[in-house]
Amino acid sequence: MEATFQGQYCMEMRESSVVLAKRLAQTAQETFGDFEEAVEKDATKTAVLDGTVHPLTSYVINYVKFLFDYQSTLKQLFQEFNEGDADARLTAVTTRIMQALQSNLDGKSKQYKDPALTQLFLMNNIHYIVRSVRRSEAKDFLGDDWVQIHRRIVQQHANQYKRVSWSKILQCLTVQGLSSSSGNQYGSDSGGTSGVSRAMVKERFKTFNIQFEELHQRQSQWTVPDSELRESLRLAVAEVLLPAYRSFIRRFGPLIENGKNPQKYIRFSPEDLERMLAEFFEGKTWSEQKR
């Protein structure tokens, strides 16, 4: 500033410019503070029924990108208003805005009645934030550690989704609870089904069918907008579900196939499950699913 307005006759202009720059810097600081507070307290009722990226997330990310489009100007203002590292100031502002957004998203996630959808929503939104940061200049300020930490958070939500959503149905495919003291059993000549009740095996298949159809109907309507994330989540489910289902059919399928109406109980082949899993997270409406 002093280099621009040199000499005795420019002193008044120089002083006015310094005052103006400090006012601008103070206004910028107050604006960032107001924005941070507005993000954290945002209570919009915009419903994201399918668990996709919330409009607030994309709005805040666009705001942060806008900041970095004018980072040189902001750094100058920070230097006028504060002593110290302007880069550090910009990093601090960005970090606080991101923290405010994540805090708000945590609150919004609690609106879902289905805990699996809660995890999917958080996974989608944190993934969107991380991907956007990695593709912008914000990465240079937030740093690789910030990116890696938040990538792990995405994975944690994906793991929680898988646990909450699929642990119950996987219980249908275990050996526990299949033995019975009733006469409707198979002995050691039935290939690994000694002491197993055919009636209980039938019940397991029926329960599995009902639960999988419910999951398919509901979660085909949910959305994972990022194609790589969507495919990796489907694969993670398939890697757990399909081997367990193949093993269960191989071991207990003959008990059903040798009886009446086996198709009533064994409704899906492993290939059917794989095909239906490929329809998860596509955001389909109920009418689209019925076609």
Side-chain angles (χ1 to χ4, degrees):
M1 193 76 71
E2 292 182 1
T4 305
F5 301 103
Q6 293 179 343
Q8 181 179 356
Y9 298 105
C10 294
M11 183 179 298
E12 186 175 338
M13 293 178 64
R14 183 168 66 246
E15 290 175 352
S16 297
S17 298
V18 169
V19 170
L20 178 60
K22 290 191 174 183
R23 284 179 181 171
L24 283 172
Q26 185 173 3
T27 300
Q29 292 275 45
E30 291 171 354
T31 300
F32 296 143
D34 291 343
F35 183 76
E36 178 189 333
E37 184 178 359
V39 169
E40 188 165 7
K41 295 182 178 179
D42 175 81
T44 53
K45 300 298 182 182
T46 305
V48 184
L49 300 179
D50 59 356
T52 192
V53 176
H54 196 279
L56 177 68
T57 303
S58 54
Y59 174 75
V60 171
I61 291 300
N62 285 335
Y63 180 91
V64 170
K65 288 179 180 177
F66 178 79
L67 285 184
F68 282 94
D69 285 341
Y70 293 92
Q71 61 173 292
S72 59
T73 303
L74 288 171
K75 287 177 187 178
Q76 280 187 310
L77 289 175
F78 287 145
Q79 286 170 340
E80 290 294 333
F81 188 62
N82 289 293
E83 294 182 0
D85 188 348
D87 283 353
R89 299 290 302 171
L90 188 54
T91 299
V93 167
T94 307
T95 301
R96 288 198 303 269
I97 290 173
M98 292 299 193
Q99 289 172 341
L101 174 58
Q102 288 178 246
S103 175
N104 188 283
L105 291 171
D106 284 339
K108 282 179 168 46
S109 73
K110 293 176 173 60
Q111 297 173 355
Y112 294 109
K113 294 180 181 179
D114 189 328
L117 188 54
T118 294
Q119 298 301 324
L120 196 82
F121 171 79
L122 290 170
M123 180 197 73
N124 277 330
N125 281 269
I126 303 301
H127 179 268
Y128 180 85
I129 292 169
V130 172
R131 188 188 63 179
S132 300
V133 166
R134 289 179 66 195
R135 295 177 176 179
S136 73
E137 292 181 74
K139 180 179 180 294
D140 298 331
F141 289 82
L142 294 174
D144 289 332
D145 287 346
W146 187 96
V147 171
Q148 292 305 319
I149 288 169
H150 287 79
R151 287 181 72 177
R152 286 196 292 271
I153 292 173
V154 172
Q155 188 58 53
Q156 288 167 8
H157 287 305
N159 292 340
Q160 283 290 89
Y161 153 80
K162 191 170 65 173
R163 183 187 63 79
V164 170
S165 223
W166 295 94
S167 58
K168 184 178 178 182
I169 195 172
L170 286 168
Q171 287 298 313
C172 297
L173 305 176
T174 62
V175 181
Q176 291 178 338
L178 288 179
S179 60
S180 171
S181 59
S182 68
N184 190 17
Q185 293 181 0
Y186 282 72
S188 59
D189 60 333
S190 298
T193 59
S194 177
V196 170
S197 162
R198 174 189 280 177
M200 299 191 96
V201 171
K202 285 182 177 180
E203 193 60 34
R204 285 289 184 89
F205 274 110
K206 284 173 64 177
T207 302
F208 178 89
N209 295 338
I210 291 169
Q211 290 185 11
F212 185 77
E213 286 176 339
E214 288 176 350
L215 285 167
H216 176 259
Q217 178 184 332
R218 185 164 64 252
Q219 298 196 18
S220 294
Q221 298 177 63
W222 296 356
T223 301
V224 176
D226 184 86
S227 58
E228 288 185 17
L229 184 62
R230 182 170 63 246
E231 192 55 39
S232 70
L233 194 60
R234 288 172 179 163
L235 183 60
V237 172
E239 287 176 344
V240 174
L241 181 68
L242 296 183
Y245 189 71
R246 287 191 180 100
S247 177
F248 194 81
I249 283 187
R250 186 166 54 248
R251 186 169 182 180
F252 300 111
L255 298 184
I256 306 301
E257 291 163 353
N258 294 333
K260 294 181 180 179
N261 302 318
Q263 68 279 1
K264 178 181 177 182
Y265 303 99
I266 306 178
R267 295 183 56 184
F268 304 109
S269 68
E271 291 73 27
D272 290 331
L273 297 186
E274 191 169 13
R275 175 183 56 78
M276 293 171 76
L277 282 174
E279 297 174 348
F280 278 51
F281 318 126
E282 290 285 352
K284 292 184 177 180
T285 62
W286 175 232
S287 60
E288 287 176 322
Q289 290 183 51
K290 293 192 292 185
R291 290 175 189 171

